[in-house]
Structure formats: C-alpha cells, structure tokens
Amino acid sequence: MTGEILLETWLAVADAAVLGAVAVGYALMRRIRPADSMDLKEAFEMLDRTIAKFLPDLSQGYTWEEAFERMREAGVRTDWEKVRGRLAAYEAYRYGGREEPKAGQEDVISLAVKLGSGLVGKGTKTKSA
Amino acid sequence: MLERELKQRVLDQVGRVVVGREKETELLLVSFLARGHVLLEGVPGVSKTILAKSFARCMGVEFKRIQFTPDMLPMDMLGGFIFNMKDREFEFRKGPVFTNLLLADEINRAPPKVQSALLESMQETQVTVEGRTEPLPDPFMVIATQNPQEFQGVYPLPENQLDRFLMRIELGYPNLGTESAILKRNLSDMSTTQVEVVVGVDELAKSLQEVASVKVSDEIVDYLAVLGLETRKEGRLSLGASPRALVQLTHCARAVAFLDGRDYVVPEDIKEVAVFVLGHRVKLDQSAILVGTATDPRQVVRDILTKVKPPR
C-alpha cells in the first residue's frame, strides 16, 4: 500500500516536471523568435535596440549611416555592403512607397545578434558621436 | 546612376581649377537644383569668386558678376528706362541681374537700398522698375559673397535678407596639403576658361523637374516639424527657424536625395544640409552669449540634430 502511494507520488512529480519543461521550452521559443518570422521593419527595430546598448554614448539623433560608421570603427565585422543594401530596400519601402521587401532580414538580425552577444567589444568612445 | 554621374562631372570640372572645395561645390549644386541662393562667406583669397565662376561655367548657364560698392544704385543692378532717341520713347534696358547665375561679389559693401532691390529678384524671380515687371531667366540663382571680418564701410545683411539665402557656406583657410596643391596648381597657370560645360540645357531642365518630384513622406515631414519646433524652444536662441526655413530645408533634402540617385528623402539627407540651411536663420540669445553657453548658432543647430530622434 505504501509502495503504491510512493509510486503515484513519484509519477505525479515526474508528470509535473515534464509539463513544466514543455511550458518553459514553449516560453523560450516564443521569446527567441526565428528570423523568418520577423519582417525587415522588426529586424531594424531589433538592431536599433541593440545599438542603444552597444553604443550607449551614441546620441539619440543618430542615423543608420552614422551608427554603421561607429560600428565599423569599433571593429564590428560584417558584410556592410549587404547591410547597406537591406537598409536601402527598407528605406525605399518606408519613405519611397516601394513594395515591402520580403527577404534580407536575416542579415540585419545577425548583425543585431552579433552586437548583443558580447562577442564584439563595446563601441563606446571617449568623445561623443 | 545618372544623377551621381552628374554630381561627379561637376565636381571633376570645378576641381580642375578650385582645389579642396568638393563639399562646397556639392552644396552649390544642391542649392542650384533646389532653386535656392547661396551666401559664400570667407576672408579674401579663399577662392569664393573663382568657385562661383567655375561652377557657373561647368553648368553651362549664363553668368554675370556684379562687384558691389557703397556708391551703387539699384538701377546699376536691375536696369532702367533709357530714352531711345530714334524711336523717341523710353525703353527698358535690362541690368546684369538678368542672367541665370549672378555673382553678387561683396554684397555687404552695397547700401541697404541696393541689397533690398535684390530681395524681389531672389524671392519672386522678377524685377519691377517704375511699375514695369520683368521676369528673370529660368533658372535663376544668386551666389553672394561677403567677408565677415570687415566692419568699416559695410552694411551687414539684415535677418530678412539673410532668410532669402537658402544656404550660407563658410569658406575657411585650406589645410596644409590643400595649400600646397593650390600653390602648385597656380604655377601651371590654370584659369576658369579650362572648365568645360558638363551639364546640357535639357539635362538641367529635366533634373530641376525631377528634384521637384522627389517624395517626402509624412514621417520625414514630422521630423522636420520637430526640428523646427526645437529651434524655437531652444533657450540659447532668441530666434528659431521659420516655416520658410523648413520649406527650404525640404527642397534641399530633395536635391540631396536626387543627387544620390533616389526619388525619396531619407533622414540622412536632412542632417547633411540642415546646418547650412538653418545656421544663418537662427539667432543666438544675448544672455547665452554673455554667459558663454553658445558662441555659434550652427553649433546650436548641430546640438538639436543630435538631440532629436529621426525616424529609423
């Protein structure tokens, strides 16, 4: 009798652990969105947030080109031509009324991830940008 | 990209005569395409006149120069009625202002009545003499020069006159490398006659039309409005940017976008020219000057540009 109670208790705990792990996994999945579920606008918004942390002394009035220049100076290595191409497509859509680009966000997201990963040093400068 | 080529052609030709003034040449081209007038400011001998002459020559437009003096009369610039003995009637003789590109050399040496006579020409692109109105050629641009170091025998331009200029471009002394290049260039006897016409009449007319059709999105318009508001709220300024200043900044940004091969304006375009367009239109507050928080209105404009978040 005691053995049955112990077994049931153990099974209940195991069930709870499995369900908890599934719940945690799902929550993490929702937090880290795959690149293909973001559009280019969201990718640039993500990059904007990361830049604010990576270059804390960069003034609020910065433009993308100014931020790219600072990142290059800070030694961030990426395919800048590609990133600039994505920016041109994004700006053509946003300010020029062109069709929304359906691809290319992965280049912007990978740059944002690179900045946020801490693998590249902080781009802080002594003089303000 | 034909537009980028156009810019390069102009830079190359002007660069044959004027050394180290690429940025200034580009700003002249932007102003010309934005149908605006430019005030070149600098001490004597920093290539203000030669820059204007070379630019006019490579654009292939009619060019005239007026040397402003204290004894000048409006008629010397605008023209006037002359009695024709043959026809026995008065006829209008056009003055040097009737041209595509007018170099108003040392504009602050002319008395205020001559300076104000330029107002109508610059704003309305027409001249009125004794009730007769004559349109000026199209395009029409005034490049005026002045030496900011002179205090005697000069008449400083009032705010309303300054506001007529789309841009004020300051020409400082060249750096060491440029100075050497200027000396070497002058040894080989270069003159503006060696500048070739690189912009055709049709291309110019088409470019002016295309600049006027460059798209300015609502987000960009809002950004411009916030910039204008910030200049008026700024404590270090007693006079902020006028709505006309913001309209002119928009035209300039369109020309910058066009020369970059785009048919829409991005925030970068505005930041590139804002200091040149707004710097002479805002006025420092006397108390800010006295306590030393501001010495240059252009620096205040730069500070505002770094403070206001552009659309991203």
Side-chain angles (χ1 to χ4, degrees):
Chain A
M1 193 65 188
T2 316
E4 272 178 24
I5 292 169
L6 273 173
L7 184 66
E8 275 177 19
T9 311
W10 187 85
L11 282 171
V13 170
D15 280 352
V18 169
L19 284 171
V22 169
V24 169
Y26 181 72
L28 279 173
M29 263 177 65
R30 279 185 65 87
R31 217 177 131 192
I32 306 164
R33 293 177 61 191
D36 56 4
S37 74
M38 271 192 207
D39 59 23
L40 202 52
K41 186 175 190 294
E42 287 171 318
F44 271 106
E45 281 169 0
M46 182 184 172
L47 181 62
D48 194 17
R49 287 193 298 272
T50 329
I51 286 171
K53 287 177 192 154
F54 181 71
L55 298 165
D57 63 331
L58 192 65
S59 63
Q60 198 173 229
Y62 79 83
T63 59
W64 287 117
E65 271 305 322
E66 287 163 354
F68 292 168
E69 198 48 48
R70 282 288 308 276
M71 282 188 255
R72 280 160 68 110
E73 283 172 17
V76 178
R77 295 177 71 178
T78 190
D79 187 342
W80 288 108
E81 280 309 302
K82 216 175 210 180
V83 172
R84 285 206 165 90
R86 303 306 180 210
L87 176 64
Y90 171 58
E91 290 185 328
Y93 153 69
R94 189 161 172 184
Y95 308 116
R98 303 287 198 286
E99 208 170 292
E100 187 179 358
K102 297 289 177 217
Q105 50 271 50
E106 63 280 358
D107 299 316
V108 182
I109 293 165
S110 92
L111 177 59
V113 169
K114 197 176 276 183
L115 295 182
S117 67
L119 293 174
V120 281
K122 284 269 180 207
T124 315
K125 261 182 160 183
T126 44
K127 65 169 188 175
S128 68
Chain B
M1 289 287 177
L2 283 170
E3 300 83 5
R4 283 186 191 167
E5 263 180 46
L6 167 78
K7 183 166 82 177
Q8 201 50 53
R9 272 182 275 151
V10 172
L11 288 176
D12 289 346
Q13 283 307 312
V14 175
R16 290 178 74 178
V17 177
V18 187
V19 187
R21 297 291 183 201
E22 291 80 12
K23 181 68 188 169
E24 290 83 354
T25 309
E26 196 181 327
L27 290 171
L28 282 179
L29 182 59
V30 166
S31 297
F32 190 82
L33 292 174
R35 293 182 179 276
H37 311 287
V38 171
L39 179 63
L40 292 179
E41 215 174 75
V43 294
V46 288
S47 67
K48 297 186 295 288
T49 307
I50 200 166
L51 175 65
K53 281 173 82 174
S54 310
F55 176 74
R57 199 174 169 85
C58 78
M59 294 303 285
V61 292
E62 194 191 355
F63 170 79
K64 279 179 189 159
R65 173 186 174 174
I66 309 175
Q67 183 67 47
F68 280 50
T69 53
D71 59 349
M72 212 176 151
L73 295 170
M75 192 184 167
D76 299 330
M77 181 178 63
L78 306 177
F81 287 92
I82 308 284
F83 189 70
N84 186 331
M85 296 292 277
K86 195 176 154 195
D87 300 335
R88 305 193 69 77
E89 60 181 24
F90 283 95
E91 65 177 28
F92 183 70
R93 189 163 294 176
K94 290 176 178 176
V97 75
F98 287 87
T99 187
N100 293 118
L101 210 155
L102 178 73
L103 173 61
D105 224 355
E106 296 187 89
I107 191 170
N108 55 341
R109 287 198 163 273
K113 62 182 172 186
V114 176
Q115 291 175 359
S116 63
L118 249 187
L119 279 179
E120 187 191 6
S121 320
M122 290 168 69
Q123 187 66 26
E124 312 287 336
T125 59
Q126 65 180 29
V127 163
T128 304
V129 179
E130 289 178 37
R132 178 182 166 141
T133 302
E134 284 280 331
L136 289 169
D138 182 48
F140 174 69
M141 181 191 194
V142 173
I143 300 179
T145 71
Q146 70 170 2
N147 173 7
Q149 301 297 324
E150 283 179 322
F151 296 104
Q152 285 189 335
V154 293
Y155 305 89
L157 295 172
E159 273 84 22
N160 66 336
Q161 182 91 38
L162 278 174
D163 201 40
R164 264 35 177 210
F165 288 100
L166 178 63
M167 282 192 200
R168 183 175 72 172
I169 306 169
E170 199 173 304
L171 278 86
Y173 284 117
N175 59 32
L176 197 63
T178 310
E179 189 99 59
S180 302
I182 292 169
L183 292 170
K184 283 175 197 159
R185 185 74 60 93
N186 276 275
L187 290 175
S188 61
D189 195 28
M190 283 293 290
S191 80
T192 52
T193 53
Q194 285 173 268
V195 175
E196 290 168 16
V197 177
V198 288
V199 187
V201 179
D202 293 341
E203 187 184 12
L204 190 58
K206 192 170 168 273
S207 300
L208 287 165
Q209 253 180 9
E210 283 180 19
V211 168
S213 63
V214 169
K215 192 173 183 240
V216 186
S217 72
D218 290 348
E219 278 184 287
I220 297 289
V221 171
D222 291 344
Y223 174 52
L224 281 159
V226 174
L227 284 177
L229 189 69
E230 286 297 323
T231 62
R232 291 165 214 153
K233 275 165 52 183
E234 173 62 54
R236 291 174 292 171
L237 298 176
S238 60
L239 183 72
S242 65
R244 177 163 56 198
L246 298 176
V247 170
Q248 299 220 321
L249 179 54
T250 314
H251 291 324
C252 258
R254 279 175 149 175
V256 174
F258 169 79
L259 289 172
D260 200 34
R262 282 179 278 108
D263 62 354
Y264 53 89
V265 171
V266 299
E268 201 90 40
D269 302 327
I270 292 162
K271 285 191 82 177
E272 198 174 324
V273 285
V275 174
F276 301 100
V277 178
L278 302 181
H280 61 290
R281 291 186 160 99
V282 297
K283 201 174 172 187
L284 287 179
D285 190 64
Q286 282 301 316
S287 58
I289 299 170
L290 283 171
V291 296
T293 51
T295 51
D296 185 354
R298 288 167 303 179
Q299 187 51 48
V300 179
V301 174
R302 276 187 210 106
D303 291 345
I304 290 168
L305 286 168
T306 55
K307 197 173 77 179
V308 177
K309 185 181 174 182
R312 283 196 288 264

